[in-house]
Amino acid sequence: MAWKRAAVFAALLFFGAARPSAAQDVTLTSPDGAVEITGMLLGFDGEFYRVDTQYGELTVDGSGVLCEGPGCPSLVDFVAELAFSGSSAMAEVLLPSLIEGFALRNGLQTRRTAMQNARFAYALHRPDTEAKVAHFDFHVTNTDEGFADLLANEADVVMALREIRKPEQTRAYEAAMGDMTDARRSRVLALDAIVPIVSPGNPVREIATPDLARVFAGEIDNWQDLGGPDAPIELHLPHAGSGLSQAVEDKLLTPAKLVVAATAQRHPRSSAVSRAVTTDPFAIGMTSFAETGNARALRLTGDCGFSLEASRRTIKTEDYPLTAPMFLYLPARRLPKIAREFLLYTRSPAAQIVIRRAGFVDQSPERIGINAQGDRLANAIASAGEEVSLAELQTLIETVGSMTRLSTSFRFETGSTRPDAQSRANILQLAREIETGLYDAKRLLFVGFSDGEGPADGNRRIALKRAEAVRGAVLQAAELPEVLQVEIGVEAFGEALPMACDDSAWGRQVNRRVEVWMR
């Protein structure tokens, strides 16, 4: 029978649904009784049942079956459920702000309920009938615990301050959650950065990145070695399981082949790091840009004289090297309609305003005029020599002098031509903007730059290939009309416009980039 074949096919789809509070026995039966599926109900999204059966986890279209048993949900008063777990920095401010914004935009009201064991919940309901339409549950932990909850089927969405690690990725794939590095499984919600902070009374204003790594490894333990007073350095970091702390290890210590000193004091929240450092004139901590508080952030410097400071613009462009995107990870499950609408909202221009007002760095593109880039041009002139001539710098200015740089930039994973996580999000964002006609009748120029390692001609060729690859990825991601309304070109200037010193791995990675210029 055609219906029977369709029902069996639907049952074999391995898409998930929203997780119920407790799995219970159900029996799903076709109207003619020809097909019967019995098992534990794992979820129902208002349209599809997700059932754990003797054949494995199956998903069945609810419109073609009758549900019997204590676990059967109400089809009339269905309430969508979505469970978040992970980063406290995201759970405490960012996600609640976005839920409030989403509710306001859709004419819904919210009710927040505090619970025990680091949990709270948001109920979304209609103001006219008080009918609850969604329940968002939050488990405020850290990135490690977020992935653990996901793998235990106790969360639908992970809030993470780092990328998923290989063991987690493997276990998720084995649990039929899909490839968690796929664009559909992970997304950058907002942008943040790791910043070194000191007490406002500390005389030290800047620190070389290699020295910063040695400080947190315990190799430099006196402020006198950094131009400060003769006093021991007290180290402060978030909890070892937090995404921010792990990002410090991945981005700062691991490239220098160092590990965190055992003497570092750990805190359950990165905001607690800021409070501890603020009151201790001999302390240094690593916290997020959004949670600097009353502490003072140090500039990052290099032996060549370049310095970089964390700001909304330098984080958005990734010119600041210790950027830390804030991720949402979702398994290959079918979520309720209102949950899908919320996740779609988080990428909207309205949501970017909410993100910015909440104190985080949004992903809306900004335009940076040539006059606002004096430091970059000064660095380029200071670095000019045999490899990069003054004539080449003049060509660069002639090319982009009448254009505006977009804050949308692209950088690459260490030792790879693959764009990093923030850049992969930028590819999708720029593709959507081209689709909507935001750049119609304009010219976009993808400009490649490199580090200074190796011959200048070879670096220029590599930079051009990267620019072409990024342009190709953007066009491939976009659904474009037959006649493109925007002119898109590529150019490369190799090592002509350095952002940081080439004497360290992080500096070279910052210099390897593709920028977007517009006229």
Side-chain angles (χ1 to χ4, degrees), residues 263-276:
T263 56
Q265 299 179 47
R266 298 285 187 169
H267 301 268
R269 303 279 191 273
S270 56
S271 55
V273 174
S274 301
R275 290 192 295 270

Side-chain angles (χ1 to χ4, degrees), residues 99-167:
I99 289 173
E100 296 282 358
F102 172 75
L104 182 64
R105 191 173 183 84
N106 288 276
L108 300 172
Q109 293 183 348
T110 62
R111 184 179 296 116
R112 177 169 174 157
T113 304
M115 297 181 290
Q116 295 180 340
N117 301 320
R119 293 183 181 273
F120 68 88
Y122 266 92
L124 275 61
H125 60 90
R126 303 190 188 283
D128 49 351
T129 64
E130 288 292 317
K132 188 163 70 169
V133 297
H135 179 90
F136 292 172
D137 179 81
F138 285 85
H139 189 196
V140 185
T141 56
N142 55 54
T143 299
D144 274 2
E145 291 296 323
F147 281 115
D149 282 350
L150 179 72
L151 293 168
N153 203 37
E154 295 177 358
D156 301 305
V157 183
V158 179
M159 302 171 290
L161 291 184
R162 61 164 172 81
E163 290 192 70
I164 188 171
R165 290 180 166 172
K166 190 65 177 178

Side-chain angles (χ1 to χ4, degrees), residues 14-261:
F14 283 84
F15 295 99
R19 176 186 50 79
S21 57
Q24 300 183 59
D25 288 326
V26 296
T27 298
L28 305 178
T29 309
S30 63
D32 61 1
V35 175
E36 183 177 280
I37 298 172
T38 300
M40 298 290 287
L41 181 67
L42 298 177
F44 178 67
D45 68 355
E47 300 174 284
F48 286 80
Y49 297 98
R50 185 163 58 95
V51 184
D52 185 12
T53 75
Q54 60 179 325
Y55 306 108
E57 186 177 309
L58 306 179
T59 298
V60 184
D61 187 345
S63 64
V65 295
L66 302 175
C67 184
E68 296 179 343
C72 291
S74 170
L75 301 183
V76 177
D77 301 320
F78 170 72
V79 177
E81 295 186 0
L82 192 66
F84 295 83
S85 180
S87 163
S88 61
M90 299 174 69
E92 290 174 345
V93 178
L94 182 55
L95 265 302
S97 298
L98 288 168
I99 289 173
E100 296 282 358
F102 172 75
L104 182 64
R105 191 173 183 84
N106 288 276
L108 300 172
Q109 293 183 348
T110 62
R111 184 179 296 116
R112 177 169 174 157
T113 304
M115 297 181 290
Q116 295 180 340
N117 301 320
R119 293 183 181 273
F120 68 88
Y122 266 92
L124 275 61
H125 60 90
R126 303 190 188 283
D128 49 351
T129 64
E130 288 292 317
K132 188 163 70 169
V133 297
H135 179 90
F136 292 172
D137 179 81
F138 285 85
H139 189 196
V140 185
T141 56
N142 55 54
T143 299
D144 274 2
E145 291 296 323
F147 281 115
D149 282 350
L150 179 72
L151 293 168
N153 203 37
E154 295 177 358
D156 301 305
V157 183
V158 179
M159 302 171 290
L161 291 184
R162 61 164 172 81
E163 290 192 70
I164 188 171
R165 290 180 166 172
K166 190 65 177 178
E168 295 162 337
Q169 180 185 343
T170 300
R171 290 196 296 270
Y173 186 81
E174 291 172 348
M177 294 182 178
D179 180 1
M180 300 296 283
T181 64
D182 186 89
R184 294 168 296 178
R185 306 276 70 81
S186 67
R187 62 181 63 188
V188 175
L189 182 65
L191 305 175
D192 207 343
I194 308 163
V195 294
I197 56 171
V198 296
S199 168
N202 193 309
V204 175
R205 293 289 188 272
E206 59 186 29
I207 186 170
T209 307
D211 286 345
L212 182 62
R214 293 176 62 204
V215 164
F216 278 91
E219 293 186 357
I220 297 177
D221 58 7
N222 193 295
W223 282 107
Q224 198 169 33
D225 296 329
L226 302 173
D230 183 8
I233 299 174
E234 300 292 337
L235 305 177
H236 294 263
L237 284 170
H239 186 271
S242 74
L244 183 71
S245 183
Q246 292 167 346
V248 170
E249 297 175 17
D250 294 345
K251 291 178 175 287
L252 182 66
L253 293 168
T254 300
K257 299 180 180 180
L258 298 172
V259 296
V260 176

